[in-house]
Amino acid sequence: MESSKEYIQQVIDKVKAKHPEKEEFNQAVTDVLTSLEKYLDQHPEVQDHNLLELLVEPERVIKFRVPWQDDQGNWRVNEGLRVQFNSAIGPYKGGIRFDPSVNESVIRFLAFEQIFKNSLTNLPIGGGKGGSDFNPKGKSDNEIMRFCQSFVTELQKYIGPDYDVPAGDVGVSKREISYMYGQYKRLREITPGVYTGKPLTFGGSVGRTEATGYGLVYFVDDLLKDRGDSLEGKRIVVSGSGNVAGHAIKKAQDFGGLVLACSDRGGYLYDPDGIDVDQVIAIKSNPNNTLAEYKRKGGQAKYVQGESVWDLDINYDISLPCATQNEISESQAQNIASSGVFLLAEGANMPVVKDGLEVLLDHDIIVCPGKAANAGGVAVSALEMSQNSQRLSWTFDQVDQNLQVIMQDIYQACSQAAKDYGDDKNLILGANIAGADKVFQAMLAQGLA
């Protein structure tokens, strides 16, 4: 029998040969599988049953056209996608993304990562993801409604509360979720649990909006406590200024951190007195606004247009990338390391390019991978599913307490797996092994299902 390393490389090579153009997906597969070598050495049943090749092949990829009419009566067409990747531990669960960058490679990568993220929550949910290259920016409410209705007219054939439960993601907020759920209800039946991230008036959960950003900071706080440290007085830089970034800033400040910078698509905002998060959230509540509108009377805040926040030349302690995949290049990772950062926690999925990640690890920076650190959103989505099943609404404190426990458990699982496999500082290794182990066990128990 070939070695674990040879087996892993064989599977990676097959994926790359089959999907040479799917860069994001190939990167995710490579990153996860290469981290599992020590696990496979102790679990020969994975290779005996060829579970890696099963793991990297989605159970189902659904592609469809989405015709819709703009306000001038012109017919437009976009592509819709849903990748139902793995249901070994529960129904497919993952967001819907509306953005021009969406393609099959991006959705496959996100769905693949979702398998391990959902496994780490210790909740019974499998991995999936969907979306469209439709851009909601600049569209009227009526255009977005017509698009969402057309999208769900096709997608409704493949989803359900006990089968596949979509949620929001980039470009999909409560407005889009509401339009999609409304169309599903017209076509099928009243089943609130088919979508999560809904408004509170018809089955949504309090705390869902805050969950990913809050959960990210809870994870960091658990890690620091484990090392006899805290967020008090830590200097922090965040990328993004939307839902995840805004609530991460707010919670980091609640824990005593000083958030110095955040960003949007146009540039970055630096405020040495600490970001006024309420002002940022108010500005970005209108998607057409930019952080250039930020003002602090008598302060030294500045908005730098056209540059990345990761090029900022200041000393700080913690980096929280919360914008998008591959936002941190190799040179920017070097700049982060030169800034004195000792910890980077991913609020976005795979925000650091592979070479950049190697730079961070070479500088002994603790990297908290997104599949663990930003799992708070999907965790509360699963709690929303539970509330829908029980026809109950929990209080914010109930949801937030559950979230804190889940994030603590995720950190402990990642930390323990890293220690068990010989590298107690490597939370990427720990997250991948802890997430994959549960999925492998379920696949074997179900006859490789």
Side-chain angles (χ1 to χ4, degrees), residues 128-161:
K129 206 78 175 184
S132 172
D133 55 1
F134 172 77
N135 187 359
K137 286 190 167 67
K139 306 293 193 302
S140 70
D141 281 350
N142 283 334
E143 288 174 325
I144 290 170
M145 180 180 69
R146 287 192 289 270
F147 175 83
C148 289
Q149 289 172 342
S150 181
F151 183 85
V152 170
T153 297
E154 183 64 25
L155 186 66
Q156 56 91 16
K157 303 171 187 176
Y158 310 103
I159 62 176

PDB file of all heavy atoms in Angstrom, residues 128-161:
ATOM      1  N   GLY A 128     -22.996  22.404   2.147  1.00  0.00           N
ATOM      2  CA  GLY A 128     -23.452  22.821   0.827  1.00  0.00           C
ATOM      3  C   GLY A 128     -23.261  24.313   0.653  1.00  0.00           C
ATOM      4  O   GLY A 128     -22.977  25.036   1.612  1.00  0.00           O
ATOM      5  N   LYS A 129     -23.423  24.803  -0.567  1.00  0.00           N
ATOM      6  CA  LYS A 129     -23.316  26.234  -0.844  1.00  0.00           C
ATOM      7  C   LYS A 129     -23.963  26.504  -2.200  1.00  0.00           C
ATOM      8  O   LYS A 129     -24.045  25.608  -3.048  1.00  0.00           O
ATOM      9  CB  LYS A 129     -21.845  26.664  -0.878  1.00  0.00           C
ATOM     10  CG  LYS A 129     -21.621  28.129  -0.548  1.00  0.00           C
ATOM     11  CD  LYS A 129     -21.695  28.401   0.940  1.00  0.00           C
ATOM     12  CE  LYS A 129     -21.348  29.840   1.264  1.00  0.00           C
ATOM     13  NZ  LYS A 129     -21.333  30.105   2.710  1.00  0.00           N
ATOM     14  N   GLY A 130     -24.409  27.727  -2.403  1.00  0.00           N
ATOM     15  CA  GLY A 130     -25.031  28.063  -3.671  1.00  0.00           C
ATOM     16  C   GLY A 130     -24.853  29.524  -4.003  1.00  0.00           C
ATOM     17  O   GLY A 130     -24.265  30.292  -3.245  1.00  0.00           O
ATOM     18  N   GLY A 131     -25.385  29.907  -5.158  1.00  0.00           N
ATOM     19  CA  GLY A 131     -25.293  31.311  -5.517  1.00  0.00           C
ATOM     20  C   GLY A 131     -25.530  31.569  -6.981  1.00  0.00           C
ATOM     21  O   GLY A 131     -25.955  30.700  -7.741  1.00  0.00           O
ATOM     22  N   SER A 132     -25.218  32.803  -7.359  1.00  0.00           N
ATOM     23  CA  SER A 132     -25.394  33.242  -8.745  1.00  0.00           C
ATOM     24  C   SER A 132     -24.442  34.394  -9.019  1.00  0.00           C
ATOM     25  O   SER A 132     -24.048  35.122  -8.097  1.00  0.00           O
ATOM     26  CB  SER A 132     -26.839  33.689  -8.983  1.00  0.00           C
ATOM     27  OG  SER A 132     -26.984  34.289 -10.257  1.00  0.00           O
ATOM     28  N   ASP A 133     -24.099  34.585 -10.293  1.00  0.00           N
ATOM     29  CA  ASP A 133     -23.272  35.727 -10.691  1.00  0.00           C
ATOM     30  C   ASP A 133     -24.088  37.010 -10.820  1.00  0.00           C
ATOM     31  O   ASP A 133     -23.592  38.026 -11.306  1.00  0.00           O
ATOM     32  CB  ASP A 133     -22.533  35.431 -11.993  1.00  0.00           C
ATOM     33  CG  ASP A 133     -23.461  35.007 -13.119  1.00  0.00           C
ATOM     34  OD1 ASP A 133     -24.692  34.948 -12.919  1.00  0.00           O
ATOM     35  OD2 ASP A 133     -22.948  34.725 -14.226  1.00  0.00           O
ATOM     36  N   PHE A 134     -25.325  36.986 -10.366  1.00  0.00           N
ATOM     37  CA  PHE A 134     -26.172  38.180 -10.311  1.00  0.00           C
ATOM     38  C   PHE A 134     -25.597  39.179  -9.312  1.00  0.00           C
ATOM     39  O   PHE A 134     -25.175  38.800  -8.219  1.00  0.00           O
ATOM     40  CB  PHE A 134     -27.581  37.769  -9.872  1.00  0.00           C
ATOM     41  CG  PHE A 134     -28.532  38.906  -9.586  1.00  0.00           C
ATOM     42  CD1 PHE A 134     -29.136  39.602 -10.615  1.00  0.00           C
ATOM     43  CD2 PHE A 134     -28.837  39.272  -8.279  1.00  0.00           C
ATOM     44  CE1 PHE A 134     -30.021  40.633 -10.358  1.00  0.00           C
ATOM     45  CE2 PHE A 134     -29.724  40.300  -7.999  1.00  0.00           C
ATOM     46  CZ  PHE A 134     -30.322  40.991  -9.052  1.00  0.00           C
ATOM     47  N   ASN A 135     -25.588  40.464  -9.691  1.00  0.00           N
ATOM     48  CA  ASN A 135     -25.080  41.507  -8.807  1.00  0.00           C
ATOM     49  C   ASN A 135     -26.237  42.363  -8.309  1.00  0.00           C
ATOM     50  O   ASN A 135     -26.820  43.136  -9.080  1.00  0.00           O
ATOM     51  CB  ASN A 135     -24.074  42.392  -9.542  1.00  0.00           C
ATOM     52  CG  ASN A 135     -23.395  43.387  -8.617  1.00  0.00           C
ATOM     53  OD1 ASN A 135     -23.683  43.442  -7.422  1.00  0.00           O
ATOM     54  ND2 ASN A 135     -22.488  44.183  -9.170  1.00  0.00           N
ATOM     55  N   PRO A 136     -26.612  42.245  -7.018  1.00  0.00           N
ATOM     56  CA  PRO A 136     -27.738  43.040  -6.515  1.00  0.00           C
ATOM     57  C   PRO A 136     -27.435  44.525  -6.384  1.00  0.00           C
ATOM     58  O   PRO A 136     -28.365  45.332  -6.271  1.00  0.00           O
ATOM     59  CB  PRO A 136     -28.015  42.415  -5.135  1.00  0.00           C
ATOM     60  CG  PRO A 136     -26.740  41.769  -4.737  1.00  0.00           C
ATOM     61  CD  PRO A 136     -26.053  41.350  -5.986  1.00  0.00           C
ATOM     62  N   LYS A 137     -26.143  44.897  -6.403  1.00  0.00           N
ATOM     63  CA  LYS A 137     -25.797  46.314  -6.261  1.00  0.00           C
ATOM     64  C   LYS A 137     -26.321  47.102  -7.469  1.00  0.00           C
ATOM     65  O   LYS A 137     -26.108  46.721  -8.622  1.00  0.00           O
ATOM     66  CB  LYS A 137     -24.290  46.489  -6.119  1.00  0.00           C
ATOM     67  CG  LYS A 137     -23.761  46.076  -4.757  1.00  0.00           C
ATOM     68  CD  LYS A 137     -22.318  46.497  -4.594  1.00  0.00           C
ATOM     69  CE  LYS A 137     -21.862  46.374  -3.147  1.00  0.00           C
ATOM     70  NZ  LYS A 137     -21.802  45.025  -2.665  1.00  0.00           N
ATOM     71  N   GLY A 138     -26.973  48.219  -7.183  1.00  0.00           N
ATOM     72  CA  GLY A 138     -27.500  49.062  -8.244  1.00  0.00           C
ATOM     73  C   GLY A 138     -28.840  48.616  -8.801  1.00  0.00           C
ATOM     74  O   GLY A 138     -29.406  49.279  -9.673  1.00  0.00           O
ATOM     75  N   LYS A 139     -29.356  47.495  -8.304  1.00  0.00           N
ATOM     76  CA  LYS A 139     -30.663  47.009  -8.755  1.00  0.00           C
ATOM     77  C   LYS A 139     -31.759  47.548  -7.842  1.00  0.00           C
ATOM     78  O   LYS A 139     -31.544  47.778  -6.654  1.00  0.00           O
ATOM     79  CB  LYS A 139     -30.702  45.474  -8.735  1.00  0.00           C
ATOM     80  CG  LYS A 139     -29.589  44.777  -9.512  1.00  0.00           C
ATOM     81  CD  LYS A 139     -29.696  45.004 -10.993  1.00  0.00           C
ATOM     82  CE  LYS A 139     -28.779  44.070 -11.790  1.00  0.00           C
ATOM     83  NZ  LYS A 139     -27.353  44.178 -11.442  1.00  0.00           N
ATOM     84  N   SER A 140     -32.944  47.729  -8.407  1.00  0.00           N
ATOM     85  CA  SER A 140     -34.089  48.161  -7.604  1.00  0.00           C
ATOM     86  C   SER A 140     -34.619  46.984  -6.786  1.00  0.00           C
ATOM     87  O   SER A 140     -34.314  45.810  -7.077  1.00  0.00           O
ATOM     88  CB  SER A 140     -35.206  48.690  -8.512  1.00  0.00           C
ATOM     89  OG  SER A 140     -35.800  47.622  -9.235  1.00  0.00           O
ATOM     90  N   ASP A 141     -35.428  47.278  -5.780  1.00  0.00           N
ATOM     91  CA  ASP A 141     -36.046  46.215  -4.985  1.00  0.00           C
ATOM     92  C   ASP A 141     -36.874  45.289  -5.868  1.00  0.00           C
ATOM     93  O   ASP A 141     -36.867  44.061  -5.672  1.00  0.00           O
ATOM     94  CB  ASP A 141     -36.940  46.814  -3.891  1.00  0.00           C
ATOM     95  CG  ASP A 141     -36.139  47.322  -2.699  1.00  0.00           C
ATOM     96  OD1 ASP A 141     -34.930  47.045  -2.647  1.00  0.00           O
ATOM     97  OD2 ASP A 141     -36.727  47.983  -1.834  1.00  0.00           O
ATOM     98  N   ASN A 142     -37.591  45.844  -6.825  1.00  0.00           N
ATOM     99  CA  ASN A 142     -38.427  45.018  -7.702  1.00  0.00           C
ATOM    100  C   ASN A 142     -37.585  44.106  -8.582  1.00  0.00           C
ATOM    101  O   ASN A 142     -37.958  42.955  -8.833  1.00  0.00           O
ATOM    102  CB  ASN A 142     -39.323  45.901  -8.563  1.00  0.00           C
ATOM    103  CG  ASN A 142     -40.518  46.444  -7.797  1.00  0.00           C
ATOM    104  OD1 ASN A 142     -40.960  45.838  -6.823  1.00  0.00           O
ATOM    105  ND2 ASN A 142     -41.026  47.588  -8.213  1.00  0.00           N
ATOM    106  N   GLU A 143     -36.445  44.603  -9.066  1.00  0.00           N
ATOM    107  CA  GLU A 143     -35.565  43.759  -9.869  1.00  0.00           C
ATOM    108  C   GLU A 143     -34.999  42.620  -9.028  1.00  0.00           C
ATOM    109  O   GLU A 143     -34.933  41.467  -9.480  1.00  0.00           O
ATOM    110  CB  GLU A 143     -34.438  44.603 -10.463  1.00  0.00           C
ATOM    111  CG  GLU A 143     -34.903  45.520 -11.585  1.00  0.00           C
ATOM    112  CD  GLU A 143     -33.816  46.460 -12.071  1.00  0.00           C
ATOM    113  OE1 GLU A 143     -32.992  46.913 -11.233  1.00  0.00           O
ATOM    114  OE2 GLU A 143     -33.793  46.752 -13.277  1.00  0.00           O
ATOM    115  N   ILE A 144     -34.591  42.939  -7.794  1.00  0.00           N
ATOM    116  CA  ILE A 144     -34.058  41.900  -6.907  1.00  0.00           C
ATOM    117  C   ILE A 144     -35.141  40.885  -6.579  1.00  0.00           C
ATOM    118  O   ILE A 144     -34.890  39.665  -6.556  1.00  0.00           O
ATOM    119  CB  ILE A 144     -33.479  42.549  -5.637  1.00  0.00           C
ATOM    120  CG1 ILE A 144     -32.202  43.324  -5.992  1.00  0.00           C
ATOM    121  CG2 ILE A 144     -33.189  41.508  -4.557  1.00  0.00           C
ATOM    122  CD1 ILE A 144     -31.661  44.195  -4.899  1.00  0.00           C
ATOM    123  N   MET A 145     -36.368  41.353  -6.343  1.00  0.00           N
ATOM    124  CA  MET A 145     -37.468  40.434  -6.058  1.00  0.00           C
ATOM    125  C   MET A 145     -37.721  39.496  -7.242  1.00  0.00           C
ATOM    126  O   MET A 145     -37.857  38.277  -7.063  1.00  0.00           O
ATOM    127  CB  MET A 145     -38.745  41.207  -5.741  1.00  0.00           C
ATOM    128  CG  MET A 145     -39.943  40.312  -5.428  1.00  0.00           C
ATOM    129  SD  MET A 145     -41.450  41.239  -5.066  1.00  0.00           S
ATOM    130  CE  MET A 145     -41.813  41.926  -6.684  1.00  0.00           C
ATOM    131  N   ARG A 146     -37.753  40.052  -8.450  1.00  0.00           N
ATOM    132  CA  ARG A 146     -38.013  39.207  -9.621  1.00  0.00           C
ATOM    133  C   ARG A 146     -36.893  38.191  -9.826  1.00  0.00           C
ATOM    134  O   ARG A 146     -37.144  37.033 -10.191  1.00  0.00           O
ATOM    135  CB  ARG A 146     -38.190  40.086 -10.865  1.00  0.00           C
ATOM    136  CG  ARG A 146     -39.524  40.839 -10.888  1.00  0.00           C
ATOM    137  CD  ARG A 146     -39.801  41.457 -12.240  1.00  0.00           C
ATOM    138  NE  ARG A 146     -38.931  42.588 -12.532  1.00  0.00           N
ATOM    139  CZ  ARG A 146     -39.208  43.854 -12.231  1.00  0.00           C
ATOM    140  NH1 ARG A 146     -40.355  44.154 -11.620  1.00  0.00           N
ATOM    141  NH2 ARG A 146     -38.363  44.814 -12.539  1.00  0.00           N
ATOM    142  N   PHE A 147     -35.650  38.624  -9.585  1.00  0.00           N
ATOM    143  CA  PHE A 147     -34.544  37.683  -9.719  1.00  0.00           C
ATOM    144  C   PHE A 147     -34.667  36.562  -8.687  1.00  0.00           C
ATOM    145  O   PHE A 147     -34.533  35.380  -9.025  1.00  0.00           O
ATOM    146  CB  PHE A 147     -33.188  38.372  -9.559  1.00  0.00           C
ATOM    147  CG  PHE A 147     -32.058  37.392  -9.585  1.00  0.00           C
ATOM    148  CD1 PHE A 147     -31.556  36.940 -10.787  1.00  0.00           C
ATOM    149  CD2 PHE A 147     -31.535  36.876  -8.406  1.00  0.00           C
ATOM    150  CE1 PHE A 147     -30.548  35.984 -10.817  1.00  0.00           C
ATOM    151  CE2 PHE A 147     -30.523  35.925  -8.421  1.00  0.00           C
ATOM    152  CZ  PHE A 147     -30.030  35.481  -9.635  1.00  0.00           C
ATOM    153  N   CYS A 148     -34.890  36.918  -7.422  1.00  0.00           N
ATOM    154  CA  CYS A 148     -34.986  35.915  -6.356  1.00  0.00           C
ATOM    155  C   CYS A 148     -36.114  34.920  -6.626  1.00  0.00           C
ATOM    156  O   CYS A 148     -35.973  33.717  -6.403  1.00  0.00           O
ATOM    157  CB  CYS A 148     -35.197  36.594  -5.006  1.00  0.00           C
ATOM    158  SG  CYS A 148     -33.755  37.486  -4.383  1.00  0.00           S
ATOM    159  N   GLN A 149     -37.233  35.422  -7.115  1.00  0.00           N
ATOM    160  CA  GLN A 149     -38.370  34.541  -7.407  1.00  0.00           C
ATOM    161  C   GLN A 149     -38.032  33.566  -8.532  1.00  0.00           C
ATOM    162  O   GLN A 149     -38.364  32.382  -8.461  1.00  0.00           O
ATOM    163  CB  GLN A 149     -39.601  35.378  -7.748  1.00  0.00           C
ATOM    164  CG  GLN A 149     -40.180  36.110  -6.543  1.00  0.00           C
ATOM    165  CD  GLN A 149     -41.281  37.078  -6.897  1.00  0.00           C
ATOM    166  OE1 GLN A 149     -41.422  37.485  -8.054  1.00  0.00           O
ATOM    167  NE2 GLN A 149     -42.073  37.484  -5.912  1.00  0.00           N
ATOM    168  N   SER A 150     -37.332  34.059  -9.549  1.00  0.00           N
ATOM    169  CA  SER A 150     -36.931  33.175 -10.642  1.00  0.00           C
ATOM    170  C   SER A 150     -35.897  32.155 -10.167  1.00  0.00           C
ATOM    171  O   SER A 150     -35.951  30.968 -10.526  1.00  0.00           O
ATOM    172  CB  SER A 150     -36.361  33.999 -11.791  1.00  0.00           C
ATOM    173  OG  SER A 150     -35.981  33.175 -12.872  1.00  0.00           O
ATOM    174  N   PHE A 151     -34.957  32.607  -9.347  1.00  0.00           N
ATOM    175  CA  PHE A 151     -33.917  31.727  -8.805  1.00  0.00           C
ATOM    176  C   PHE A 151     -34.544  30.565  -8.034  1.00  0.00           C
ATOM    177  O   PHE A 151     -34.197  29.396  -8.221  1.00  0.00           O
ATOM    178  CB  PHE A 151     -33.001  32.558  -7.905  1.00  0.00           C
ATOM    179  CG  PHE A 151     -31.825  31.819  -7.325  1.00  0.00           C
ATOM    180  CD1 PHE A 151     -30.648  31.689  -8.029  1.00  0.00           C
ATOM    181  CD2 PHE A 151     -31.889  31.288  -6.041  1.00  0.00           C
ATOM    182  CE1 PHE A 151     -29.558  31.023  -7.485  1.00  0.00           C
ATOM    183  CE2 PHE A 151     -30.809  30.623  -5.482  1.00  0.00           C
ATOM    184  CZ  PHE A 151     -29.641  30.484  -6.211  1.00  0.00           C
ATOM    185  N   VAL A 152     -35.519  30.883  -7.168  1.00  0.00           N
ATOM    186  CA  VAL A 152     -36.123  29.850  -6.324  1.00  0.00           C
ATOM    187  C   VAL A 152     -37.102  28.979  -7.094  1.00  0.00           C
ATOM    188  O   VAL A 152     -37.311  27.815  -6.734  1.00  0.00           O
ATOM    189  CB  VAL A 152     -36.801  30.500  -5.099  1.00  0.00           C
ATOM    190  CG1 VAL A 152     -37.640  29.494  -4.326  1.00  0.00           C
ATOM    191  CG2 VAL A 152     -35.742  31.078  -4.179  1.00  0.00           C
ATOM    192  N   THR A 153     -37.676  29.486  -8.169  1.00  0.00           N
ATOM    193  CA  THR A 153     -38.572  28.663  -8.979  1.00  0.00           C
ATOM    194  C   THR A 153     -37.859  27.396  -9.447  1.00  0.00           C
ATOM    195  O   THR A 153     -38.450  26.320  -9.519  1.00  0.00           O
ATOM    196  CB  THR A 153     -39.097  29.467 -10.181  1.00  0.00           C
ATOM    197  OG1 THR A 153     -39.875  30.561  -9.695  1.00  0.00           O
ATOM    198  CG2 THR A 153     -39.962  28.607 -11.089  1.00  0.00           C
ATOM    199  N   GLU A 154     -36.569  27.511  -9.713  1.00  0.00           N
ATOM    200  CA  GLU A 154     -35.791  26.319 -10.074  1.00  0.00           C
ATOM    201  C   GLU A 154     -35.202  25.635  -8.840  1.00  0.00           C
ATOM    202  O   GLU A 154     -35.291  24.414  -8.694  1.00  0.00           O
ATOM    203  CB  GLU A 154     -34.666  26.710 -11.030  1.00  0.00           C
ATOM    204  CG  GLU A 154     -33.829  25.536 -11.531  1.00  0.00           C
ATOM    205  CD  GLU A 154     -34.622  24.538 -12.366  1.00  0.00           C
ATOM    206  OE1 GLU A 154     -35.647  24.928 -12.961  1.00  0.00           O
ATOM    207  OE2 GLU A 154     -34.210  23.363 -12.441  1.00  0.00           O
ATOM    208  N   LEU A 155     -34.634  26.411  -7.909  1.00  0.00           N
ATOM    209  CA  LEU A 155     -33.950  25.815  -6.768  1.00  0.00           C
ATOM    210  C   LEU A 155     -34.894  25.038  -5.859  1.00  0.00           C
ATOM    211  O   LEU A 155     -34.476  24.063  -5.215  1.00  0.00           O
ATOM    212  CB  LEU A 155     -33.242  26.909  -5.955  1.00  0.00           C
ATOM    213  CG  LEU A 155     -32.367  26.433  -4.793  1.00  0.00           C
ATOM    214  CD1 LEU A 155     -31.165  25.635  -5.303  1.00  0.00           C
ATOM    215  CD2 LEU A 155     -31.894  27.608  -3.944  1.00  0.00           C
ATOM    216  N   GLN A 156     -36.160  25.421  -5.804  1.00  0.00           N
ATOM    217  CA  GLN A 156     -37.114  24.783  -4.880  1.00  0.00           C
ATOM    218  C   GLN A 156     -37.254  23.281  -5.100  1.00  0.00           C
ATOM    219  O   GLN A 156     -37.667  22.553  -4.206  1.00  0.00           O
ATOM    220  CB  GLN A 156     -38.481  25.475  -4.965  1.00  0.00           C
ATOM    221  CG  GLN A 156     -39.099  25.534  -6.352  1.00  0.00           C
ATOM    222  CD  GLN A 156     -40.003  24.365  -6.682  1.00  0.00           C
ATOM    223  OE1 GLN A 156     -40.431  23.633  -5.798  1.00  0.00           O
ATOM    224  NE2 GLN A 156     -40.289  24.189  -7.965  1.00  0.00           N
ATOM    225  N   LYS A 157     -36.881  22.811  -6.272  1.00  0.00           N
ATOM    226  CA  LYS A 157     -36.958  21.372  -6.560  1.00  0.00           C
ATOM    227  C   LYS A 157     -35.937  20.572  -5.745  1.00  0.00           C
ATOM    228  O   LYS A 157     -36.080  19.356  -5.603  1.00  0.00           O
ATOM    229  CB  LYS A 157     -36.698  21.123  -8.046  1.00  0.00           C
ATOM    230  CG  LYS A 157     -37.618  21.858  -9.000  1.00  0.00           C
ATOM    231  CD  LYS A 157     -37.131  21.709 -10.432  1.00  0.00           C
ATOM    232  CE  LYS A 157     -37.923  22.578 -11.401  1.00  0.00           C
ATOM    233  NZ  LYS A 157     -37.368  22.486 -12.775  1.00  0.00           N
ATOM    234  N   TYR A 158     -34.917  21.265  -5.251  1.00  0.00           N
ATOM    235  CA  TYR A 158     -33.770  20.557  -4.673  1.00  0.00           C
ATOM    236  C   TYR A 158     -33.515  20.878  -3.201  1.00  0.00           C
ATOM    237  O   TYR A 158     -32.521  20.416  -2.642  1.00  0.00           O
ATOM    238  CB  TYR A 158     -32.500  20.910  -5.472  1.00  0.00           C
ATOM    239  CG  TYR A 158     -32.660  20.746  -6.949  1.00  0.00           C
ATOM    240  CD1 TYR A 158     -32.853  21.857  -7.776  1.00  0.00           C
ATOM    241  CD2 TYR A 158     -32.658  19.486  -7.544  1.00  0.00           C
ATOM    242  CE1 TYR A 158     -33.011  21.710  -9.147  1.00  0.00           C
ATOM    243  CE2 TYR A 158     -32.823  19.331  -8.907  1.00  0.00           C
ATOM    244  CZ  TYR A 158     -33.001  20.448  -9.709  1.00  0.00           C
ATOM    245  OH  TYR A 158     -33.168  20.304 -11.069  1.00  0.00           O
ATOM    246  N   ILE A 159     -34.390  21.672  -2.562  1.00  0.00           N
ATOM    247  CA  ILE A 159     -34.163  22.047  -1.170  1.00  0.00           C
ATOM    248  C   ILE A 159     -35.375  21.702  -0.314  1.00  0.00           C
ATOM    249  O   ILE A 159     -36.463  21.478  -0.830  1.00  0.00           O
ATOM    250  CB  ILE A 159     -33.835  23.549  -1.027  1.00  0.00           C
ATOM    251  CG1 ILE A 159     -34.996  24.427  -1.512  1.00  0.00           C
ATOM    252  CG2 ILE A 159     -32.546  23.886  -1.772  1.00  0.00           C
ATOM    253  CD1 ILE A 159     -34.772  25.923  -1.311  1.00  0.00           C
ATOM    254  N   GLY A 160     -35.196  21.672   0.983  1.00  0.00           N
ATOM    255  CA  GLY A 160     -36.275  21.393   1.925  1.00  0.00           C
ATOM    256  C   GLY A 160     -35.720  21.380   3.331  1.00  0.00           C
ATOM    257  O   GLY A 160     -34.508  21.222   3.538  1.00  0.00           O
ATOM    258  N   PRO A 161     -36.565  21.536   4.353  1.00  0.00           N
ATOM    259  CA  PRO A 161     -36.093  21.699   5.735  1.00  0.00           C
ATOM    260  C   PRO A 161     -35.339  20.500   6.295  1.00  0.00           C
ATOM    261  O   PRO A 161     -34.555  20.651   7.233  1.00  0.00           O
ATOM    262  CB  PRO A 161     -37.375  21.966   6.524  1.00  0.00           C
ATOM    263  CG  PRO A 161     -38.476  21.428   5.666  1.00  0.00           C
ATOM    264  CD  PRO A 161     -38.028  21.618   4.259  1.00  0.00           C
TER     265      PRO A 161
END
